[in-house]
Amino acid sequence: QSCFLSLEGQQEISAMTSTLGSPIIEDVFEVLEQDPDGQKFMKVSRFHCKSEYFEFELCLDVNIDVYPLKPGEKFNLGLAYTLSPDGTVDEGFFDQSGAPSIADKYEYVMYGKLYKYNEDMSTGQLRVEVYISFGGLLMLLKGDPSHLEGLKLDSRLYLLMRKV
């Protein structure tokens, strides 16, 4: 079954203060499955993952030509509002100046928009679902509301990944 659903029930997530120039969310994930519903596009795979520290569930589309992943591999994933080490807000354009960036610590970076937020009680415990689109590559992150409170609806975010 697909992990991306309709756009009903959008709500705002309250903002959380983070250390300047650092991801607002960061965890280590293990790839559990690749393309459980079959591969839909030649160069894109959908990965189902579980985090080690905050018990997040992740469903993520990745361009496997650029960043190959396999079940059993682990990677560090962060979400940040800016790539600037001092926390300066950027315009969402790639800075070709060579200036230091938090992206320098990662292997794969995408820029997208948080377009949907849902509360889920299907397990009997409140979990939130955060949906982000990175130019059509989609991400669903499910977890405890207290760990996802730093995100807000319609915000622009960087996804940062590196294998561990």
Side-chain angles (χ1 to χ4, degrees):
Q1 81 183 6
S2 177
C3 54
F4 300 104
L5 306 171
S6 71
L7 295 175
E8 297 173 20
Q10 294 185 6
Q11 298 179 12
E12 184 170 325
I13 304 171
S14 62
M16 173 180 82
T17 308
S18 67
T19 305
L20 292 179
S22 66
I24 53 173
I25 292 174
E26 193 164 21
D27 204 343
V28 174
F29 288 82
E30 180 178 358
V31 176
L32 303 176
E33 293 180 286
Q34 179 176 355
D35 296 317
D37 300 324
Q39 190 170 14
K40 308 292 184 203
F41 302 99
M42 280 180 41
K43 298 180 180 186
V44 176
S45 279
R46 180 161 288 170
F47 295 93
H48 289 213
C49 310
K50 184 86 171 164
S51 79
E52 290 186 359
Y53 303 110
F54 297 114
E55 298 180 1
F56 290 131
E57 294 174 45
L58 174 71
C59 187
L60 178 67
D61 294 343
V62 175
N63 181 330
I64 55 173
D65 247 15
V66 176
Y67 199 71
L69 282 173
K70 299 280 183 225
E73 287 187 318
K74 291 185 178 185
F75 60 91
N76 181 288
L77 181 138
L79 293 174
Y81 286 120
T82 180
L83 295 178
S84 174
D86 66 3
T88 304
V89 177
D90 60 42
E91 298 299 317
F93 297 105
F94 178 63
D95 178 4
Q96 298 181 43
S97 69
S101 164
I102 63 171
D104 296 339
K105 300 177 195 171
Y106 296 88
E107 302 163 338
Y108 185 71
V109 178
M110 294 192 291
Y111 184 67
K113 181 178 181 178
L114 194 156
Y115 68 91
K116 182 179 173 185
Y117 166 81
N118 275 337
E119 292 181 350
D120 178 22
M121 288 291 294
S122 64
T123 62
Q125 182 178 358
L126 179 62
R127 310 245 315 148
V128 295
E129 301 174 336
V130 176
Y131 295 80
I132 303 174
S133 176
F134 302 97
L137 297 179
L138 302 176
M139 180 181 98
L140 165 60
L141 184 64
K142 292 183 186 180
D144 185 293
S146 65
H147 300 306
L148 297 171
E149 68 186 2
L151 301 174
K152 57 187 173 203
L153 190 63
D154 293 327
S155 60
R156 302 287 179 170
L157 293 159
Y158 291 94
L159 174 137
L160 307 142
M161 291 176 63
R162 72 173 170 264
K163 293 181 184 172
V164 293

PDB file of all heavy atoms in Angstrom, residues 45-57:
ATOM      1  N   SER A  45      13.398   5.159  -6.396  1.00  0.00           N
ATOM      2  CA  SER A  45      12.869   4.087  -5.564  1.00  0.00           C
ATOM      3  C   SER A  45      12.251   4.683  -4.313  1.00  0.00           C
ATOM      4  O   SER A  45      12.679   5.733  -3.834  1.00  0.00           O
ATOM      5  CB  SER A  45      13.976   3.104  -5.147  1.00  0.00           C
ATOM      6  OG  SER A  45      14.248   2.193  -6.175  1.00  0.00           O
ATOM      7  N   ARG A  46      11.251   3.986  -3.799  1.00  0.00           N
ATOM      8  CA  ARG A  46      10.608   4.374  -2.540  1.00  0.00           C
ATOM      9  C   ARG A  46      11.136   3.447  -1.452  1.00  0.00           C
ATOM     10  O   ARG A  46      11.079   2.229  -1.581  1.00  0.00           O
ATOM     11  CB  ARG A  46       9.091   4.262  -2.672  1.00  0.00           C
ATOM     12  CG  ARG A  46       8.363   4.658  -1.408  1.00  0.00           C
ATOM     13  CD  ARG A  46       6.919   4.981  -1.682  1.00  0.00           C
ATOM     14  NE  ARG A  46       6.857   6.262  -2.384  1.00  0.00           N
ATOM     15  CZ  ARG A  46       5.750   6.744  -2.933  1.00  0.00           C
ATOM     16  NH1 ARG A  46       4.634   6.053  -2.886  1.00  0.00           N
ATOM     17  NH2 ARG A  46       5.762   7.920  -3.547  1.00  0.00           N
ATOM     18  N   PHE A  47      11.625   4.051  -0.381  1.00  0.00           N
ATOM     19  CA  PHE A  47      12.214   3.304   0.722  1.00  0.00           C
ATOM     20  C   PHE A  47      11.377   3.459   1.986  1.00  0.00           C
ATOM     21  O   PHE A  47      10.961   4.565   2.324  1.00  0.00           O
ATOM     22  CB  PHE A  47      13.645   3.803   0.995  1.00  0.00           C
ATOM     23  CG  PHE A  47      14.582   3.542  -0.140  1.00  0.00           C
ATOM     24  CD1 PHE A  47      14.795   4.506  -1.114  1.00  0.00           C
ATOM     25  CD2 PHE A  47      15.230   2.326  -0.260  1.00  0.00           C
ATOM     26  CE1 PHE A  47      15.648   4.271  -2.179  1.00  0.00           C
ATOM     27  CE2 PHE A  47      16.076   2.075  -1.324  1.00  0.00           C
ATOM     28  CZ  PHE A  47      16.292   3.046  -2.288  1.00  0.00           C
ATOM     29  N   HIS A  48      11.153   2.344   2.667  1.00  0.00           N
ATOM     30  CA  HIS A  48      10.509   2.350   3.976  1.00  0.00           C
ATOM     31  C   HIS A  48      11.616   2.129   4.998  1.00  0.00           C
ATOM     32  O   HIS A  48      12.401   1.178   4.880  1.00  0.00           O
ATOM     33  CB  HIS A  48       9.454   1.257   4.073  1.00  0.00           C
ATOM     34  CG  HIS A  48       8.247   1.537   3.240  1.00  0.00           C
ATOM     35  ND1 HIS A  48       6.997   1.141   3.611  1.00  0.00           N
ATOM     36  CD2 HIS A  48       8.081   2.194   2.067  1.00  0.00           C
ATOM     37  CE1 HIS A  48       6.114   1.522   2.704  1.00  0.00           C
ATOM     38  NE2 HIS A  48       6.765   2.156   1.749  1.00  0.00           N
ATOM     39  N   CYS A  49      11.671   3.010   6.006  1.00  0.00           N
ATOM     40  CA  CYS A  49      12.776   3.000   6.964  1.00  0.00           C
ATOM     41  C   CYS A  49      12.254   3.204   8.381  1.00  0.00           C
ATOM     42  O   CYS A  49      11.155   3.708   8.581  1.00  0.00           O
ATOM     43  CB  CYS A  49      13.759   4.137   6.640  1.00  0.00           C
ATOM     44  SG  CYS A  49      14.264   4.203   4.915  1.00  0.00           S
ATOM     45  N   LYS A  50      13.077   2.850   9.342  1.00  0.00           N
ATOM     46  CA  LYS A  50      12.768   3.035  10.770  1.00  0.00           C
ATOM     47  C   LYS A  50      13.974   3.688  11.416  1.00  0.00           C
ATOM     48  O   LYS A  50      15.111   3.333  11.132  1.00  0.00           O
ATOM     49  CB  LYS A  50      12.488   1.671  11.408  1.00  0.00           C
ATOM     50  CG  LYS A  50      12.066   1.714  12.840  1.00  0.00           C
ATOM     51  CD  LYS A  50      10.589   1.919  12.949  1.00  0.00           C
ATOM     52  CE  LYS A  50      10.158   1.740  14.389  1.00  0.00           C
ATOM     53  NZ  LYS A  50       8.852   2.257  14.643  1.00  0.00           N
ATOM     54  N   SER A  51      13.713   4.666  12.309  1.00  0.00           N
ATOM     55  CA  SER A  51      14.833   5.360  12.949  1.00  0.00           C
ATOM     56  C   SER A  51      15.263   4.658  14.226  1.00  0.00           C
ATOM     57  O   SER A  51      14.501   3.914  14.841  1.00  0.00           O
ATOM     58  CB  SER A  51      14.480   6.819  13.235  1.00  0.00           C
ATOM     59  OG  SER A  51      13.681   6.935  14.383  1.00  0.00           O
ATOM     60  N   GLU A  52      16.500   4.921  14.623  1.00  0.00           N
ATOM     61  CA  GLU A  52      17.071   4.271  15.800  1.00  0.00           C
ATOM     62  C   GLU A  52      16.742   4.986  17.103  1.00  0.00           C
ATOM     63  O   GLU A  52      16.572   4.351  18.127  1.00  0.00           O
ATOM     64  CB  GLU A  52      18.595   4.184  15.663  1.00  0.00           C
ATOM     65  CG  GLU A  52      19.045   3.211  14.618  1.00  0.00           C
ATOM     66  CD  GLU A  52      20.548   3.025  14.596  1.00  0.00           C
ATOM     67  OE1 GLU A  52      21.272   3.670  15.393  1.00  0.00           O
ATOM     68  OE2 GLU A  52      21.016   2.219  13.778  1.00  0.00           O
ATOM     69  N   TYR A  53      16.690   6.301  17.094  1.00  0.00           N
ATOM     70  CA  TYR A  53      16.593   7.045  18.346  1.00  0.00           C
ATOM     71  C   TYR A  53      15.189   7.535  18.677  1.00  0.00           C
ATOM     72  O   TYR A  53      14.735   7.383  19.797  1.00  0.00           O
ATOM     73  CB  TYR A  53      17.573   8.223  18.328  1.00  0.00           C
ATOM     74  CG  TYR A  53      18.990   7.774  18.102  1.00  0.00           C
ATOM     75  CD1 TYR A  53      19.639   8.044  16.909  1.00  0.00           C
ATOM     76  CD2 TYR A  53      19.664   7.029  19.061  1.00  0.00           C
ATOM     77  CE1 TYR A  53      20.931   7.604  16.685  1.00  0.00           C
ATOM     78  CE2 TYR A  53      20.959   6.573  18.845  1.00  0.00           C
ATOM     79  CZ  TYR A  53      21.591   6.869  17.653  1.00  0.00           C
ATOM     80  OH  TYR A  53      22.869   6.418  17.430  1.00  0.00           O
ATOM     81  N   PHE A  54      14.492   8.137  17.721  1.00  0.00           N
ATOM     82  CA  PHE A  54      13.195   8.738  17.997  1.00  0.00           C
ATOM     83  C   PHE A  54      12.019   7.895  17.508  1.00  0.00           C
ATOM     84  O   PHE A  54      10.882   8.355  17.527  1.00  0.00           O
ATOM     85  CB  PHE A  54      13.120  10.146  17.390  1.00  0.00           C
ATOM     86  CG  PHE A  54      14.113  11.094  17.994  1.00  0.00           C
ATOM     87  CD1 PHE A  54      15.152  11.595  17.227  1.00  0.00           C
ATOM     88  CD2 PHE A  54      14.011  11.472  19.320  1.00  0.00           C
ATOM     89  CE1 PHE A  54      16.068  12.464  17.778  1.00  0.00           C
ATOM     90  CE2 PHE A  54      14.922  12.340  19.882  1.00  0.00           C
ATOM     91  CZ  PHE A  54      15.960  12.840  19.109  1.00  0.00           C
ATOM     92  N   GLU A  55      12.290   6.683  17.056  1.00  0.00           N
ATOM     93  CA  GLU A  55      11.260   5.754  16.596  1.00  0.00           C
ATOM     94  C   GLU A  55      10.382   6.339  15.495  1.00  0.00           C
ATOM     95  O   GLU A  55       9.175   6.135  15.454  1.00  0.00           O
ATOM     96  CB  GLU A  55      10.411   5.265  17.774  1.00  0.00           C
ATOM     97  CG  GLU A  55      11.227   4.501  18.792  1.00  0.00           C
ATOM     98  CD  GLU A  55      10.405   3.999  19.973  1.00  0.00           C
ATOM     99  OE1 GLU A  55       9.174   4.219  20.008  1.00  0.00           O
ATOM    100  OE2 GLU A  55      11.013   3.391  20.857  1.00  0.00           O
ATOM    101  N   PHE A  56      11.014   7.092  14.575  1.00  0.00           N
ATOM    102  CA  PHE A  56      10.304   7.607  13.414  1.00  0.00           C
ATOM    103  C   PHE A  56      10.102   6.479  12.414  1.00  0.00           C
ATOM    104  O   PHE A  56      10.932   5.580  12.289  1.00  0.00           O
ATOM    105  CB  PHE A  56      11.123   8.696  12.702  1.00  0.00           C
ATOM    106  CG  PHE A  56      11.249   9.993  13.451  1.00  0.00           C
ATOM    107  CD1 PHE A  56      12.494  10.575  13.599  1.00  0.00           C
ATOM    108  CD2 PHE A  56      10.152  10.644  13.966  1.00  0.00           C
ATOM    109  CE1 PHE A  56      12.637  11.778  14.263  1.00  0.00           C
ATOM    110  CE2 PHE A  56      10.280  11.847  14.630  1.00  0.00           C
ATOM    111  CZ  PHE A  56      11.531  12.423  14.784  1.00  0.00           C
ATOM    112  N   GLU A  57       9.005   6.564  11.668  1.00  0.00           N
ATOM    113  CA  GLU A  57       8.800   5.738  10.485  1.00  0.00           C
ATOM    114  C   GLU A  57       8.959   6.680   9.299  1.00  0.00           C
ATOM    115  O   GLU A  57       8.425   7.790   9.312  1.00  0.00           O
ATOM    116  CB  GLU A  57       7.410   5.124  10.474  1.00  0.00           C
ATOM    117  CG  GLU A  57       7.173   4.131  11.585  1.00  0.00           C
ATOM    118  CD  GLU A  57       5.724   3.666  11.608  1.00  0.00           C
ATOM    119  OE1 GLU A  57       5.174   3.361  10.526  1.00  0.00           O
ATOM    120  OE2 GLU A  57       5.148   3.634  12.700  1.00  0.00           O
TER     121      GLU A  57
END
